[in-house]
Amino acid sequence: MSDTLDRLHAVLEQRREADPDSSYVAALHHRGLNKILEKVGEEATETLLAAKDAEHGDEAAQQALIAETADLWFHSLVMLSHLGLDHRMVLDELARRFGVSGHDEKAAREQQQQ
Ligand SMILES: N=c1c2ncn([C@@H]3O[C@H](COP(=O)(O)OP(=O)(O)OP(=O)(O)O)[C@@H](O)[C@H]3O)c2ncn1[C@@H]1O[C@H](COP(=O)(O)O)[C@@H](O)[C@H]1O
């Protein structure tokens, strides 16, 4: 999986300087952060609607959910790239969380806030 993300990251970096008329990613960068965030929000909404359909749906509904999730991940990667960040930082953060229960992490956070 990381190999695919690495490959996509390399393409996204190339597209930062590409012609917006010939590249969708370049067109997003050209239109700016607000447009990219609009797409992330749109894809998040489409993903959750697809998830509801997939809950009691057939294989086609499950495939639709996978496609929408891919759109969401893709646009999130464009967002990170636009801000000079990348998937490796997210993977490192997830790796750091291995073995830390979500309940324990939340309890520790709440204790710090007191
Ligand atoms: N993985 C993707 C990818 N996933 C989704 N999309 C595009 O994301 C868009 C989002 O879907 P929508 O239905 O919302 O599209 P839309 O109606 O055309 O968008 P708007 O006009 O509303 O902005 C579609 O145009 C998809 O083609 C992607 N476009 C590009 N990539 C990757 O990025 C690479 C570089 O792409 P270019 O920059 O276009 O060369 C490609 O080789 C792929 O590897």
Side-chain angles (χ1 to χ4, degrees):
M1 178 184 104
S2 183
D3 182 49
T4 302
L5 293 178
D6 287 343
R7 286 173 58 203
L8 183 54
H9 170 68
V11 175
L12 295 186
E13 285 304 296
Q14 286 168 1
R15 295 301 196 265
R16 288 188 69 167
E17 306 303 326
D19 175 8
D21 288 336
S22 60
S23 156
Y24 175 72
V25 174
L28 282 176
H29 287 302
H30 188 73
R31 295 180 73 177
L33 182 62
N34 283 356
K35 179 62 188 178
I36 295 169
L37 297 181
E38 185 187 309
K39 293 302 294 181
V40 172
E42 201 178 294
E43 302 303 347
T45 303
E46 287 171 7
T47 298
L48 67 87
L49 292 174
K52 289 303 289 180
D53 287 344
E55 189 177 16
H56 304 295
D58 55 11
E59 201 180 318
Q62 291 175 347
Q63 281 305 318
L65 173 59
I66 288 167
E68 293 299 349
T69 304
D71 281 351
L72 176 59
W73 286 17
F74 166 72
H75 286 88
S76 299
L77 293 172
V78 175
M79 174 191 71
L80 291 175
S81 170
H82 191 79
L83 296 170
L85 306 172
D86 65 61
H87 65 286
R88 291 167 299 197
M89 298 164 185
V90 178
L91 293 179
D92 286 349
E93 174 62 17
L94 288 173
R96 191 188 63 76
R97 295 178 188 180
F98 271 124
V100 181
S101 153
H103 286 324
D104 293 345
E105 185 276 332
K106 186 174 177 184
R109 203 167 3 105
E110 285 173 348
Q111 206 162 24
Q112 272 179 359
Q113 285 164 0
Q114 283 168 12

